[in-house]
Amino acid sequence: MKAWNLTEEDLADFEREDVIYIKGYELFGEKTESINFQFYDFGDEGAYELVQVFVTYPSDADMDHVSEEMQKVYGEPDPDMKFYYLYSALESLSAYETKEPGSVTNWGTGSIGDLIPVEEQEYYREQWESYQSGLNEDNWEEFKQNSRLERISLLTDNGWNCVEFNAANQMIYETIKNTLHD
């Protein structure tokens, strides 16, 4: 709230204590419908940390302009980047697939595999399985090479006009890493 100079009155009613929800702010040169700040406690210690920001734009927003502004901040997008949502109703690991070619633009930091020491691979995989739907020994290599620590996605797929900032993998990595030293 401090970073955005928000007060309690600026927040839209939302029935969850792990979400801050605001409406009608401008981001990347276009007015948003809403910005949803999601907090998680991956360590089960009651210490909620910001993990995801989901920005929704109106249907008439100029998403090409949003993309141009994002590229000024984040550089060129990664056209080959894949991402996985943590929770899947199908309980399978599958990369997000678009219905419309060119409707998802991704930026991201290094893959999770870049940080995990070889001798700790098995421990990380076993621990990560409790956070990532469908993750198992058979798809671990693919997942750790494709998954980014932080991901930013511009989605215009299937009528959406959204930007998502997601640091869940970074938080999961830090949580698992901390259990190694406890």
PDB file of all heavy atoms in Angstrom, residues 149-169:
ATOM      1  N   LEU A 149      12.029 -18.243 -12.331  1.00  0.00           N
ATOM      2  CA  LEU A 149      11.875 -17.816 -10.943  1.00  0.00           C
ATOM      3  C   LEU A 149      10.807 -16.740 -10.841  1.00  0.00           C
ATOM      4  O   LEU A 149       9.932 -16.798  -9.989  1.00  0.00           O
ATOM      5  CB  LEU A 149      13.204 -17.322 -10.384  1.00  0.00           C
ATOM      6  CG  LEU A 149      14.237 -18.427 -10.203  1.00  0.00           C
ATOM      7  CD1 LEU A 149      15.615 -17.837  -9.999  1.00  0.00           C
ATOM      8  CD2 LEU A 149      13.852 -19.323  -9.044  1.00  0.00           C
ATOM      9  N   GLU A 150      10.890 -15.755 -11.706  1.00  0.00           N
ATOM     10  CA  GLU A 150       9.859 -14.722 -11.799  1.00  0.00           C
ATOM     11  C   GLU A 150       9.402 -14.673 -13.243  1.00  0.00           C
ATOM     12  O   GLU A 150      10.204 -14.834 -14.159  1.00  0.00           O
ATOM     13  CB  GLU A 150      10.367 -13.332 -11.398  1.00  0.00           C
ATOM     14  CG  GLU A 150      10.692 -13.191  -9.939  1.00  0.00           C
ATOM     15  CD  GLU A 150      12.169 -13.363  -9.663  1.00  0.00           C
ATOM     16  OE1 GLU A 150      12.968 -13.348 -10.618  1.00  0.00           O
ATOM     17  OE2 GLU A 150      12.542 -13.514  -8.493  1.00  0.00           O
ATOM     18  N   ARG A 151       8.105 -14.448 -13.414  1.00  0.00           N
ATOM     19  CA  ARG A 151       7.534 -14.400 -14.758  1.00  0.00           C
ATOM     20  C   ARG A 151       6.594 -13.214 -14.865  1.00  0.00           C
ATOM     21  O   ARG A 151       5.848 -12.906 -13.945  1.00  0.00           O
ATOM     22  CB  ARG A 151       6.760 -15.688 -15.031  1.00  0.00           C
ATOM     23  CG  ARG A 151       5.963 -15.654 -16.318  1.00  0.00           C
ATOM     24  CD  ARG A 151       5.173 -16.932 -16.525  1.00  0.00           C
ATOM     25  NE  ARG A 151       4.300 -17.300 -15.434  1.00  0.00           N
ATOM     26  CZ  ARG A 151       3.077 -16.787 -15.226  1.00  0.00           C
ATOM     27  NH1 ARG A 151       2.602 -15.856 -16.025  1.00  0.00           N
ATOM     28  NH2 ARG A 151       2.340 -17.202 -14.210  1.00  0.00           N
ATOM     29  N   ILE A 152       6.659 -12.561 -16.015  1.00  0.00           N
ATOM     30  CA  ILE A 152       5.717 -11.497 -16.343  1.00  0.00           C
ATOM     31  C   ILE A 152       5.081 -11.886 -17.670  1.00  0.00           C
ATOM     32  O   ILE A 152       5.792 -12.203 -18.630  1.00  0.00           O
ATOM     33  CB  ILE A 152       6.424 -10.131 -16.474  1.00  0.00           C
ATOM     34  CG1 ILE A 152       7.168  -9.803 -15.185  1.00  0.00           C
ATOM     35  CG2 ILE A 152       5.419  -9.046 -16.819  1.00  0.00           C
ATOM     36  CD1 ILE A 152       8.155  -8.677 -15.315  1.00  0.00           C
ATOM     37  N   SER A 153       3.769 -11.900 -17.701  1.00  0.00           N
ATOM     38  CA  SER A 153       3.062 -12.303 -18.915  1.00  0.00           C
ATOM     39  C   SER A 153       2.019 -11.265 -19.290  1.00  0.00           C
ATOM     40  O   SER A 153       1.279 -10.777 -18.440  1.00  0.00           O
ATOM     41  CB  SER A 153       2.363 -13.649 -18.708  1.00  0.00           C
ATOM     42  OG  SER A 153       3.296 -14.664 -18.438  1.00  0.00           O
ATOM     43  N   LEU A 154       1.969 -10.958 -20.569  1.00  0.00           N
ATOM     44  CA  LEU A 154       0.925 -10.133 -21.154  1.00  0.00           C
ATOM     45  C   LEU A 154       0.014 -11.100 -21.897  1.00  0.00           C
ATOM     46  O   LEU A 154       0.460 -11.805 -22.802  1.00  0.00           O
ATOM     47  CB  LEU A 154       1.532  -9.104 -22.116  1.00  0.00           C
ATOM     48  CG  LEU A 154       0.568  -8.310 -22.974  1.00  0.00           C
ATOM     49  CD1 LEU A 154      -0.287  -7.379 -22.112  1.00  0.00           C
ATOM     50  CD2 LEU A 154       1.319  -7.516 -24.021  1.00  0.00           C
ATOM     51  N   LEU A 155      -1.254 -11.171 -21.470  1.00  0.00           N
ATOM     52  CA  LEU A 155      -2.189 -12.139 -22.035  1.00  0.00           C
ATOM     53  C   LEU A 155      -3.365 -11.438 -22.696  1.00  0.00           C
ATOM     54  O   LEU A 155      -4.068 -10.660 -22.047  1.00  0.00           O
ATOM     55  CB  LEU A 155      -2.719 -13.058 -20.926  1.00  0.00           C
ATOM     56  CG  LEU A 155      -1.654 -13.820 -20.154  1.00  0.00           C
ATOM     57  CD1 LEU A 155      -1.733 -13.468 -18.688  1.00  0.00           C
ATOM     58  CD2 LEU A 155      -1.819 -15.294 -20.354  1.00  0.00           C
ATOM     59  N   THR A 156      -3.539 -11.702 -23.972  1.00  0.00           N
ATOM     60  CA  THR A 156      -4.715 -11.218 -24.685  1.00  0.00           C
ATOM     61  C   THR A 156      -5.455 -12.413 -25.266  1.00  0.00           C
ATOM     62  O   THR A 156      -6.201 -12.302 -26.211  1.00  0.00           O
ATOM     63  CB  THR A 156      -4.329 -10.220 -25.796  1.00  0.00           C
ATOM     64  OG1 THR A 156      -3.410 -10.846 -26.688  1.00  0.00           O
ATOM     65  CG2 THR A 156      -3.721  -8.965 -25.200  1.00  0.00           C
ATOM     66  N   ASP A 157      -5.230 -13.556 -24.692  1.00  0.00           N
ATOM     67  CA  ASP A 157      -5.803 -14.821 -25.128  1.00  0.00           C
ATOM     68  C   ASP A 157      -7.278 -14.915 -24.759  1.00  0.00           C
ATOM     69  O   ASP A 157      -7.667 -14.560 -23.645  1.00  0.00           O
ATOM     70  CB  ASP A 157      -5.020 -15.953 -24.442  1.00  0.00           C
ATOM     71  CG  ASP A 157      -5.346 -17.323 -24.984  1.00  0.00           C
ATOM     72  OD1 ASP A 157      -5.712 -17.430 -26.160  1.00  0.00           O
ATOM     73  OD2 ASP A 157      -5.219 -18.289 -24.225  1.00  0.00           O
ATOM     74  N   ASN A 158      -8.084 -15.381 -25.704  1.00  0.00           N
ATOM     75  CA  ASN A 158      -9.484 -15.715 -25.415  1.00  0.00           C
ATOM     76  C   ASN A 158     -10.263 -14.537 -24.816  1.00  0.00           C
ATOM     77  O   ASN A 158     -11.051 -14.709 -23.903  1.00  0.00           O
ATOM     78  CB  ASN A 158      -9.526 -16.932 -24.493  1.00  0.00           C
ATOM     79  CG  ASN A 158     -10.814 -17.699 -24.619  1.00  0.00           C
ATOM     80  OD1 ASN A 158     -11.496 -17.632 -25.632  1.00  0.00           O
ATOM     81  ND2 ASN A 158     -11.157 -18.425 -23.576  1.00  0.00           N
ATOM     82  N   GLY A 159      -9.982 -13.329 -25.312  1.00  0.00           N
ATOM     83  CA  GLY A 159     -10.705 -12.153 -24.835  1.00  0.00           C
ATOM     84  C   GLY A 159     -10.141 -11.503 -23.581  1.00  0.00           C
ATOM     85  O   GLY A 159     -10.669 -10.510 -23.103  1.00  0.00           O
ATOM     86  N   TRP A 160      -9.083 -12.043 -23.028  1.00  0.00           N
ATOM     87  CA  TRP A 160      -8.463 -11.436 -21.852  1.00  0.00           C
ATOM     88  C   TRP A 160      -7.608 -10.261 -22.268  1.00  0.00           C
ATOM     89  O   TRP A 160      -6.995 -10.267 -23.328  1.00  0.00           O
ATOM     90  CB  TRP A 160      -7.539 -12.427 -21.169  1.00  0.00           C
ATOM     91  CG  TRP A 160      -8.161 -13.432 -20.297  1.00  0.00           C
ATOM     92  CD1 TRP A 160      -9.471 -13.787 -20.227  1.00  0.00           C
ATOM     93  CD2 TRP A 160      -7.482 -14.250 -19.355  1.00  0.00           C
ATOM     94  NE1 TRP A 160      -9.643 -14.775 -19.308  1.00  0.00           N
ATOM     95  CE2 TRP A 160      -8.433 -15.077 -18.754  1.00  0.00           C
ATOM     96  CE3 TRP A 160      -6.163 -14.370 -18.962  1.00  0.00           C
ATOM     97  CZ2 TRP A 160      -8.111 -16.005 -17.771  1.00  0.00           C
ATOM     98  CZ3 TRP A 160      -5.843 -15.295 -17.990  1.00  0.00           C
ATOM     99  CH2 TRP A 160      -6.814 -16.095 -17.402  1.00  0.00           C
ATOM    100  N   ASN A 161      -7.511  -9.286 -21.400  1.00  0.00           N
ATOM    101  CA  ASN A 161      -6.538  -8.207 -21.499  1.00  0.00           C
ATOM    102  C   ASN A 161      -5.902  -8.108 -20.121  1.00  0.00           C
ATOM    103  O   ASN A 161      -6.399  -7.386 -19.253  1.00  0.00           O
ATOM    104  CB  ASN A 161      -7.202  -6.880 -21.881  1.00  0.00           C
ATOM    105  CG  ASN A 161      -7.502  -6.783 -23.354  1.00  0.00           C
ATOM    106  OD1 ASN A 161      -6.923  -7.488 -24.160  1.00  0.00           O
ATOM    107  ND2 ASN A 161      -8.417  -5.912 -23.708  1.00  0.00           N
ATOM    108  N   CYS A 162      -4.831  -8.843 -19.914  1.00  0.00           N
ATOM    109  CA  CYS A 162      -4.241  -8.953 -18.575  1.00  0.00           C
ATOM    110  C   CYS A 162      -2.722  -8.875 -18.626  1.00  0.00           C
ATOM    111  O   CYS A 162      -2.106  -9.214 -19.627  1.00  0.00           O
ATOM    112  CB  CYS A 162      -4.599 -10.299 -17.942  1.00  0.00           C
ATOM    113  SG  CYS A 162      -6.329 -10.680 -17.904  1.00  0.00           S
ATOM    114  N   VAL A 163      -2.181  -8.478 -17.508  1.00  0.00           N
ATOM    115  CA  VAL A 163      -0.750  -8.598 -17.249  1.00  0.00           C
ATOM    116  C   VAL A 163      -0.625  -9.318 -15.912  1.00  0.00           C
ATOM    117  O   VAL A 163      -1.326  -8.982 -14.956  1.00  0.00           O
ATOM    118  CB  VAL A 163      -0.052  -7.217 -17.191  1.00  0.00           C
ATOM    119  CG1 VAL A 163       1.394  -7.367 -16.734  1.00  0.00           C
ATOM    120  CG2 VAL A 163      -0.113  -6.529 -18.548  1.00  0.00           C
ATOM    121  N   GLU A 164       0.235 -10.317 -15.881  1.00  0.00           N
ATOM    122  CA  GLU A 164       0.452 -11.063 -14.644  1.00  0.00           C
ATOM    123  C   GLU A 164       1.927 -11.017 -14.269  1.00  0.00           C
ATOM    124  O   GLU A 164       2.791 -11.306 -15.087  1.00  0.00           O
ATOM    125  CB  GLU A 164       0.025 -12.521 -14.806  1.00  0.00           C
ATOM    126  CG  GLU A 164       0.252 -13.334 -13.550  1.00  0.00           C
ATOM    127  CD  GLU A 164      -0.019 -14.818 -13.734  1.00  0.00           C
ATOM    128  OE1 GLU A 164      -0.294 -15.260 -14.869  1.00  0.00           O
ATOM    129  OE2 GLU A 164       0.075 -15.536 -12.742  1.00  0.00           O
ATOM    130  N   PHE A 165       2.185 -10.641 -13.033  1.00  0.00           N
ATOM    131  CA  PHE A 165       3.522 -10.695 -12.443  1.00  0.00           C
ATOM    132  C   PHE A 165       3.471 -11.854 -11.456  1.00  0.00           C
ATOM    133  O   PHE A 165       2.623 -11.860 -10.559  1.00  0.00           O
ATOM    134  CB  PHE A 165       3.841  -9.412 -11.679  1.00  0.00           C
ATOM    135  CG  PHE A 165       3.783  -8.165 -12.522  1.00  0.00           C
ATOM    136  CD1 PHE A 165       2.589  -7.499 -12.724  1.00  0.00           C
ATOM    137  CD2 PHE A 165       4.931  -7.660 -13.104  1.00  0.00           C
ATOM    138  CE1 PHE A 165       2.523  -6.344 -13.491  1.00  0.00           C
ATOM    139  CE2 PHE A 165       4.881  -6.502 -13.876  1.00  0.00           C
ATOM    140  CZ  PHE A 165       3.674  -5.849 -14.069  1.00  0.00           C
ATOM    141  N   ASN A 166       4.360 -12.831 -11.612  1.00  0.00           N
ATOM    142  CA  ASN A 166       4.276 -14.012 -10.769  1.00  0.00           C
ATOM    143  C   ASN A 166       5.663 -14.406 -10.276  1.00  0.00           C
ATOM    144  O   ASN A 166       6.556 -14.695 -11.070  1.00  0.00           O
ATOM    145  CB  ASN A 166       3.645 -15.160 -11.558  1.00  0.00           C
ATOM    146  CG  ASN A 166       3.287 -16.331 -10.697  1.00  0.00           C
ATOM    147  OD1 ASN A 166       4.106 -16.822  -9.945  1.00  0.00           O
ATOM    148  ND2 ASN A 166       2.058 -16.782 -10.819  1.00  0.00           N
ATOM    149  N   ALA A 167       5.827 -14.418  -8.959  1.00  0.00           N
ATOM    150  CA  ALA A 167       7.096 -14.800  -8.341  1.00  0.00           C
ATOM    151  C   ALA A 167       6.938 -16.057  -7.486  1.00  0.00           C
ATOM    152  O   ALA A 167       7.730 -16.302  -6.587  1.00  0.00           O
ATOM    153  CB  ALA A 167       7.636 -13.652  -7.499  1.00  0.00           C
ATOM    154  N   ALA A 168       5.929 -16.869  -7.776  1.00  0.00           N
ATOM    155  CA  ALA A 168       5.679 -18.063  -6.969  1.00  0.00           C
ATOM    156  C   ALA A 168       6.877 -19.003  -6.959  1.00  0.00           C
ATOM    157  O   ALA A 168       7.261 -19.515  -5.901  1.00  0.00           O
ATOM    158  CB  ALA A 168       4.437 -18.796  -7.465  1.00  0.00           C
ATOM    159  N   ASN A 169       7.499 -19.225  -8.113  1.00  0.00           N
ATOM    160  CA  ASN A 169       8.643 -20.141  -8.143  1.00  0.00           C
ATOM    161  C   ASN A 169       9.803 -19.621  -7.301  1.00  0.00           C
ATOM    162  O   ASN A 169      10.500 -20.402  -6.657  1.00  0.00           O
ATOM    163  CB  ASN A 169       9.100 -20.397  -9.583  1.00  0.00           C
ATOM    164  CG  ASN A 169       8.189 -21.361 -10.296  1.00  0.00           C
ATOM    165  OD1 ASN A 169       7.566 -22.220  -9.684  1.00  0.00           O
ATOM    166  ND2 ASN A 169       8.105 -21.221 -11.602  1.00  0.00           N
TER     167      ASN A 169
END
